[in-house]
Amino acid sequence: MALFVVFQTTFFLTLLSLRTYQSEVLAERLPLTPVSLKVSTNSIRQSLHLQWTVHNLPYHQELKMVFQIQISRIETSNVIWVGNYSTTVKWNQVLHWSWESELPLECATHFVRIKSVIDDASFPEPNFWSNWSSWEEVSVQDSLGQSILFVFPKDKLVEEGSNVTICYVSRNIQNNVSCYLEGKQIHGEQLDPHVTAFNLNSVPFIRNRGTNIYCEASQGNVSKGIEGIVLFVSKVLEEPKDFSCETQDFKTLHCTWDPGTDTALGWSKQPSQSYTLFESFSGEKKLCTHKNWCNWQITQDSQEMYNFTLIAENYLRKRSVNILFNLTHRVYLMNPFSVNFENVNATNAIMTWKVHSMRNNFTYLCQIELHGEGKMMQYDVSVNVNGEYFLSELEPATEYMARVRCADASHFWKWTEWSGQNFTTLEAAPSEAPDVWRSVNSEPGNHTVTLFWKPLSKLHANGKILFYNVVVENLDKPSRSELRSIPAPANSTKLILDKCSYQICVTANNSVGASPASIIVISADPENKEVEEERIAGTEGGFSLSWKPQPGDVIGYVVDWCDHPQDVLQWKNVGPNTTSTVISTDAFRPGVRYDFRIYGLSTKRIACLLEKKTGYSQELAPSDNPHVLVDMLTSHSFTLSWKDYSTESQPGFIQGYHVYLKSKARQCHPRFQKAVLSDGSECCKYTIDNPEEKALIVDNLKPESFYEFFVTPFTSAGEGPNATFTKVTTPDEHSSMLIRILLPMVFCVLLIMIVCYLKSQWIKETCYPDIPDPYKSSILSLIKFKENPHLTIMNVSDCIPDAIEVVSKPEGTKIQLLGTRKSLTETELTKPNYLYLLPTEKNHSGPGPCICFENFTYNQAASDAGSCGHVPVPPKAPPSMLGLMTSPENVLKALEKNYMNSLGEVPAGETSLNYVSQLASPMSGDKDSLPTNPVEPPHCSEYKMQMAVPLRLALPPPTENSSLSSITLLDPGEHYR
């Protein structure tokens, strides 16, 4: 105990001595000025590194001191930074401090000095700053080399949004230097004749391979050199998001996070940020090999609480995030498996699944989702190992998708992923009757009924509809009914019914059974009353319809219409207490007229037409203009008409017509108003407000004037399309009178021509009938010569006449006999009456019969013509001695003696009969000579008769009292060809 007291006394004496010594040192104001200041540079980081010592510090003495540092640029007086650095200084310690320059160190000379002060609590008296150390100069330009241009800093790494200063150093002040950032010129501040600095504020991230900056030195237009740098701009390192750790088996913790933007740069300037996982309770640390997840092994020491810190780091900064949790609260189960469905019928099914075992007595909370027919149903259930759930109230013939997920029921953390499977319920009979409607067309003796029905919805079909049964029952004859099966997917059928009442039942059928029946009745006498059609206006939402309620009991109303362009009948059922509805469908198109019919359904299921309505969902301007005809054109008016223009096929209700009229006078007539067309031209407009009025009389016009008109319809949406004007010119006043005279005359002439054309055959037979055919002459049946029983009619091809010359002169004609070339005086022959046919044989002799024919076409004085006669001719008489035949009476007598001889008894070929036409041209000489004085065509009145003379008949010489047309005969040796 005494030894302890001695030791304690000695310790206190020592402390007292030390305190006394310190007081003496302080009293002496020891000089603690920093000495041995040295400055070095780091070009990569563009920083100054300072190191110094403090002399006169007591041995093994530690003092808190503050050092003030000044940094100047270019000149010592240009102080750019002043700061304090506090630290604890030991005896003979070398102190270090760094300063990073915004301006690259190569661009300017820097100066550094330092002073200090004691800031220690062991020195209570006031402290004073030491003297400044001498300036320490730092210059890097001397070591740059001999190039004419330098750009700094080299390969600098900064964060996006930072402020950066760059500079260039030019050896020759005569050079003109221009600098560019990504091709865009930048402007800076000149520090001295050789150095210019550029301040870049909030530099953006352009690419991971860096931002290009270059400068070009030139004199005039001559480039002296180009120098550039790459500024590496990194994305800002983000703090990890959604950092979380969980376990599935109590053996491994799986930690995940969202790393954010990758800060990696090209050319290996900066790799991707690294992540380190640190657990503070255990003090363990793990460098993660993946950038968004990391696994941590759980030890067996039953540690439940964990405190993790996730550190993200790159070359420029660090970011960290922390979580604290209980291991049992971060259990993430594995997904359920073996999902199945059992005992599936039309409305029920049993769903089963399995889960992975975790610990004993571990309870799972499982959630079931059932999707079908656009609906979703959700159920929760607690299980231990295997799960099961009874699904009820399902729809028949419906495909469902059921899935399940689970979580820890004690400490809910997170659901597992979904595990599921599809299944389909069985079919059932359709649950609703089909919606049925009809269209009835009455015809003589029967009704044509087109029956329509809508397909059942999937909800009510309860399966695939296979066919529709249509039962037609005659209500007047109940014993008669007809069944028709219509295969699906048909939705209509046509029935031909007589004038009886019929009840029609329609059912839909699938593989299980039939739906309830839909009943409609067709009356024997359908009510076809005329219902006035009402116009309605549609809107974007459709057509709003309303009607008067039907007197009596009704079970409902039906509105039907046709969708265009398919022209499919549509209908809508409305309840009995409703007298209005809105018809809306996507099928309604602008510019299409829709006709709606409203029916009332009686308690007997008989439909009665109540109202008709028509309208457009949106009216459009007319699609075409009428074809206008100009009628009744006069000098002062004309009429425009367009009777054939149809208003029903237009894309809107035609409200009337606009008639536009132009004239050179540019003055509007009465009833017309001035208007300006779309092209800016002026005209006159007349409005017709009645769409059924399709004609207009434009009057008060001037004769011989030029007008243009144009007619267009209009609806509530506007006028019809623009079209060209039609031109019309009014005639003068006299031309109309001339037309009134000429038109009847032209009509009469045309009527006469038509009558003449229709009666041409009668006119021909009356004015100039055909020359009678001798074969068909009735006189031949009376001629029968005994001398020559073989008399027959000659053919024209068998006749070789000599010559006949007929001169149509009433006062007298000349007869020229070619055989003797003698002429008779004109007075000897004054009246031509007959035409004689003379024989051509040289040796012919003996008398023969004479046949003459009277041509009534030319015989206009038949009573004066006489008839032909027969005079015997001496057999040796030459042709020149031929004279006139005897009187007609003698010829008739000669004919009467032989009329009993039938012409058919005369053999062909034994008698020749020459026939010379009355119109034969006179010939003299040979066949090649032409008459010098052509004979004029004889008048009809001078051609009296024609006759045929047998070859044996001789003509007596002519006498003075005889009258005969001039005849020229050829010699027997001369023939007419």
Side-chain angles (χ1 to χ4, degrees):
M1 185 64 182
L3 181 61
F4 175 73
V5 173
V6 173
F7 177 76
Q8 185 178 11
T9 303
T10 304
F11 177 74
F12 281 116
L13 290 175
T14 303
L15 288 178
L16 181 60
S17 299
L18 180 60
R19 180 66 177 174
T20 303
Y21 175 76
Q22 289 177 347
S23 300
E24 292 176 355
V25 171
L26 180 60
E28 295 177 0
R29 297 180 178 272
L30 297 175
L32 300 179
T33 301
V35 295
S36 302
L37 177 62
K38 295 181 181 179
V39 181
S40 61
T41 61
N42 186 336
S43 297
I44 296 177
R45 292 187 175 271
Q46 290 295 318
S47 61
L48 296 176
H49 183 69
L50 282 66
Q51 65 178 26
W52 70 92
T53 59
V54 179
H55 286 184
N56 300 326
L57 190 67
Y59 182 73
H60 295 304
Q61 184 76 28
E62 291 186 1
L63 294 176
K64 289 183 179 181
M65 299 185 66
V66 177
F67 298 93
Q68 189 176 78
I69 303 170
Q70 275 190 354
I71 301 176
S72 299
R73 183 175 291 161
I74 302 176
E75 297 177 353
T76 57
S77 60
N78 183 25
V79 178
I80 61 170
W81 190 87
V82 177
N84 294 332
Y85 170 60
S86 299
T87 186
T88 300
V89 182
K90 296 180 181 180
W91 178 79
N92 205 24
Q93 179 182 359
V94 178
L95 301 175
H96 299 271
W97 181 80
S98 295
W99 173 79
E100 187 172 346
S101 174
E102 295 180 356
L103 179 70
L105 300 177
E106 294 85 354
C107 295
T109 302
H110 290 78
F111 300 92
V112 181
R113 68 177 180 175
I114 188 171
K115 67 178 180 179
S116 62
V117 66
I118 298 175
D119 186 22
D120 199 302
S122 60
F123 296 92
E125 295 183 6
N127 297 319
F128 301 94
W129 285 100
S130 69
N131 296 326
W132 287 103
S133 67
S134 60
W135 287 101
E136 188 72 22
E137 181 180 354
V138 180
S139 180
V140 187
Q141 293 185 4
D142 297 338
S143 61
L144 294 181
Q146 300 301 320
S147 297
I148 62 173
L149 184 64
F150 301 92
V151 181
F152 300 102
K154 300 290 186 181
D155 300 336
K156 186 175 180 62
L157 175 64
V158 296
E159 274 189 338
E160 182 181 18
S162 302
N163 298 329
V164 180
T165 301
I166 66 172
C167 68
Y168 70 81
V169 178
S170 177
R171 295 295 190 185
N172 189 351
I173 63 174
Q174 302 297 327
N175 291 336
N176 181 22
V177 180
S178 300
C179 295
Y180 302 88
L181 171 64
E182 289 293 328
K184 183 178 180 180
Q185 188 174 1
I186 56 177
H187 303 280
E189 176 186 1
Q190 188 175 20
L191 301 181
D192 62 37
H194 297 277
V195 179
T196 298
F198 303 87
N199 293 320
L200 306 179
N201 297 323
S202 300
V203 292
F205 173 83
I206 297 178
R207 65 182 71 88
N208 60 0
R209 292 182 175 271
T211 301
N212 298 320
I213 302 173
Y214 69 93
C215 298
E216 181 179 8
S218 62
Q219 291 184 1
N221 295 327
V222 179
S223 177
K224 294 298 183 179
I226 297 177
E227 186 69 20
I229 61 171
V230 177
L231 180 64
F232 289 94
V233 181
S234 168
K235 286 285 188 179
V236 178
L237 179 64
E238 298 178 7
E239 182 180 280
K241 301 180 183 63
D242 302 328
F243 180 41
S244 174
C245 296
E246 59 193 14
T247 182
Q248 287 187 318
D249 55 6
F250 291 98
K251 295 180 181 179
T252 303
L253 273 172
H254 181 68
C255 298
T256 59
W257 61 89
D258 179 7
T261 305
D262 191 357
T263 61
L265 296 176
W267 312 111
S268 300
K269 188 64 179 178
Q270 176 178 265
S272 297
Q273 61 267 33
S274 62
Y275 293 91
T276 302
L277 199 59
F278 173 72
E279 205 283 307
S280 59
F281 293 137
S282 63
E284 296 181 3
K285 181 185 293 187
K286 180 179 181 180
L287 179 64
C288 300
T289 58
H290 300 87
K291 65 178 183 179
N292 60 348
W293 64 273
C294 190
N295 286 335
W296 184 276
Q297 296 297 323
I298 298 175
T299 60
Q300 301 299 324
D301 56 2
S302 301
Q303 179 182 349
E304 291 188 355
M305 298 299 298
Y306 287 86
N307 186 7
F308 281 105
T309 300
L310 179 65
I311 304 170
E313 183 178 6
N314 64 6
Y315 288 169
L316 299 176
R317 69 170 66 223
K318 289 183 180 181
R319 293 291 181 91
S320 63
V321 64
N322 178 266
I323 57 171
L324 175 67
F325 60 90
N326 189 314
L327 180 63
T328 59
H329 297 176
R330 294 296 181 99
V331 178
Y332 176 54
L333 301 178
M334 287 185 282
N335 298 336
F337 62 99
S338 298
V339 178
N340 291 306
F341 299 93
E342 302 174 355
N343 301 330
V344 179
N345 56 33
T347 57
N348 302 315
I350 297 176
M351 179 180 180
T352 61
W353 67 93
K354 295 181 180 180
V355 292
H356 295 275
S357 177
M358 295 289 295
R359 292 180 176 178
N360 295 330
N361 301 323
F362 194 89
T363 304
Y364 302 89
L365 173 65
C366 294
Q367 188 177 75
I368 299 172
E369 278 188 359
L370 183 64
H371 297 264
E373 293 298 313
K375 297 183 296 182
M376 190 271 291
M377 294 165 284
Q378 194 174 82
Y379 314 97
D380 292 335
V381 58
S382 296
V383 299
N384 292 324
V385 178
N386 297 328
E388 181 179 296
Y389 192 79
F390 179 74
L391 301 173
S392 60
E393 298 180 358
L394 304 178
E395 298 294 337
T398 301
E399 183 178 5
Y400 287 94
M401 191 277 290
R403 59 182 186 173
V404 61
R405 61 181 180 178
C406 298
D408 183 2
S410 301
H411 305 284
F412 180 84
W413 162 241
K414 188 185 293 185
W415 290 110
T416 65
E417 297 295 329
W418 289 104
S419 298
Q421 192 174 345
N422 293 352
F423 71 98
T424 303
T425 56
L426 301 180
E427 290 188 358
S431 59
E432 189 172 289
D435 188 1
V436 178
W437 189 235
R438 88 292 180 276
S439 174
V440 180
N441 293 326
S442 296
E443 299 176 357
N446 56 46
H447 300 311
T448 300
V449 178
T450 304
L451 203 62
F452 300 91
W453 56 84
K454 295 179 180 178
L456 292 176
S457 65
K458 192 173 182 180
L459 178 64
H460 299 116
N462 295 337
K464 181 180 179 181
I465 299 300
L466 302 178
F467 59 92
Y468 296 88
N469 280 338
V470 178
V471 178
V472 182
E473 182 181 357
N474 191 327
L475 297 179
D476 297 337
K477 302 176 182 178
S479 61
R480 298 180 57 183
S481 62
E482 178 185 358
L483 172 63
R484 294 188 181 186
S485 292
I486 312 298
N491 61 353
S492 65
T493 186
K494 183 174 290 187
L495 306 173
I496 307 297
L497 307 178
D498 56 20
K499 292 295 184 176
C500 297
S501 296
Y502 284 88
Q503 176 179 282
I504 302 174
C505 300
V506 180
T507 58
N509 297 261
N510 61 12
S511 61
V512 177
S515 70
S518 182
I519 301 174
I520 195 167
V521 175
I522 307 299
S523 176
D525 296 320
E527 185 176 359
N528 295 323
K529 66 177 182 179
E530 292 295 330
V531 177
E532 184 177 354
E533 190 174 64
E534 177 187 353
R535 289 185 177 183
I536 57 175
T539 62
E540 293 182 358
F543 292 90
S544 179
L545 305 178
S546 62
W547 57 91
K548 296 179 181 179
Q550 173 75 359
D553 294 334
V554 294
I555 61 174
Y557 298 94
V558 177
V559 181
D560 70 3
W561 70 95
C562 281
D563 275 344
H564 294 278
Q566 294 84 5
D567 289 333
V568 178
L569 183 66
Q570 302 290 334
W571 66 93
K572 180 179 181 180
N573 295 307
V574 183
N577 298 324
T578 304
T579 57
S580 64
T581 187
V582 176
I583 306 297
S584 60
T585 174
D586 295 336
F588 288 152
R589 299 186 303 160
V592 178
R593 179 181 293 190
Y594 294 94
D595 298 323
F596 298 92
R597 294 175 297 184
I598 302 171
Y599 294 85
L601 289 179
S602 67
T603 54
K604 295 181 179 181
R605 309 293 300 183
I606 299 176
C608 177
L609 179 62
L610 302 180
E611 296 183 17
K612 290 183 179 180
K613 299 179 185 293
T614 182
Y616 297 84
S617 61
Q618 180 183 349
E619 287 193 56
L620 302 179
S623 58
D624 58 353
N625 294 319
H627 177 67
V628 182
L629 301 176
V630 180
D631 299 328
M632 302 177 65
L633 178 62
T634 66
S635 58
H636 296 284
S637 66
F638 58 82
T639 301
L640 303 179
S641 64
W642 52 96
K643 303 296 184 182
D644 296 335
Y645 185 68
S646 174
T647 60
E648 299 297 325
S649 60
Q650 296 303 316
F653 292 118
I654 300 298
Q655 298 180 352
Y657 306 91
H658 287 156
V659 180
Y660 293 95
L661 185 67
K662 287 183 180 180
S663 64
K664 291 184 178 179
R666 295 186 178 180
Q667 293 182 354
C668 293
H669 298 74
R671 301 182 299 166
F672 283 81
Q673 297 178 349
K674 284 189 176 181
V676 179
L677 299 177
S678 58
D679 59 358
S681 61
E682 294 184 356
C683 64
C684 300
K685 181 176 76 171
Y686 178 74
T687 301
I688 300 176
D689 294 327
N690 184 7
E692 300 302 325
E693 184 179 341
K694 300 180 182 180
L696 176 66
I697 299 176
V698 183
D699 51 8
N700 297 323
L701 306 179
K702 295 181 180 180
E704 299 184 66
S705 298
F706 177 76
Y707 295 92
E708 294 180 278
F709 68 87
F710 165 51
V711 179
T712 180
F714 64 90
T715 65
S716 61
E719 291 183 340
N722 292 330
T724 57
F725 279 76
T726 302
K727 301 176 182 179
V728 62
T729 303
T730 56
D732 57 13
E733 295 180 342
H734 302 289
S735 61
S736 60
M737 297 178 61
L738 185 60
I739 291 174
R740 292 193 189 101
I741 298 173
L742 291 178
L743 284 178
M745 294 178 63
V746 171
F747 178 76
C748 292
V749 172
L750 291 175
L751 184 59
I752 293 173
M753 293 176 64
I754 293 173
V755 171
C756 290
Y757 176 77
L758 297 176
K759 298 294 183 178
S760 59
Q761 185 65 28
W762 176 81
I763 295 174
K764 179 179 178 182
E765 294 176 355
T766 303
C767 296
Y768 48 95
D770 293 336
I771 298 173
D773 188 351
Y775 287 99
K776 299 178 181 179
S777 177
S778 60
I779 196 172
L780 294 180
S781 61
L782 304 176
I783 301 175
K784 185 174 182 182
F785 297 99
K786 294 180 179 181
E787 295 86 355
N788 188 2
H790 303 288
L791 181 64
T792 184
I793 301 301
M794 69 176 179
N795 293 323
V796 177
S797 60
D798 299 332
C799 177
I800 305 176
D802 291 333
I804 300 175
E805 180 180 355
V806 178
V807 178
S808 60
K809 290 183 179 181
E811 65 276 6
T813 56
K814 180 179 69 173
I815 299 177
Q816 190 177 35
L817 301 178
L818 299 181
T820 58
R821 301 296 190 262
K822 293 181 180 181
S823 299
L824 299 177
T825 61
E826 293 181 0
T827 56
E828 293 175 354
L829 300 173
T830 59
K831 187 176 181 182
N833 291 326
Y834 306 104
L835 178 65
Y836 300 92
L837 301 182
L838 305 179
T840 57
E841 289 90 343
K842 290 183 180 181
N843 299 323
H844 177 271
S845 63
C850 172
I851 303 174
C852 66
F853 301 95
E854 184 177 4
N855 190 338
F856 292 101
T857 303
Y858 309 105
N859 185 5
Q860 297 182 3
S863 61
D864 299 333
S867 58
C868 61
H870 173 249
V871 178
V873 179
K876 301 295 183 177
S880 61
M881 300 302 294
L882 293 175
L884 293 175
M885 296 174 60
T886 60
S887 64
E889 291 79 3
N890 295 331
V891 177
L892 291 175
K893 291 178 180 179
L895 293 175
E896 290 174 358
K897 294 178 181 180
N898 300 287
Y899 82 96
M900 297 301 295
N901 293 329
S902 174
L903 183 63
E905 297 176 358
V906 181
E910 293 187 4
T911 302
S912 296
L913 181 66
N914 291 342
Y915 180 85
V916 180
S917 172
Q918 297 175 2
L919 300 180
S921 300
M923 300 293 293
S924 64
D926 57 18
K927 66 181 179 179
D928 296 326
S929 64
L930 297 174
T932 58
N933 297 317
V935 180
E936 296 179 359
H939 298 288
C940 294
S941 61
E942 295 180 14
Y943 288 84
K944 302 302 181 178
M945 294 185 178
Q946 297 173 342
M947 66 179 179
V949 182
L951 296 180
R952 293 191 305 272
L953 182 64
L955 294 178
T959 63
E960 297 180 356
N961 297 328
S962 302
S963 64
L964 183 66
S965 298
S966 175
I967 300 175
T968 303
L969 301 177
L970 298 175
D971 289 335
E974 297 179 0
H975 301 279
Y976 174 76
R977 300 181 182 182

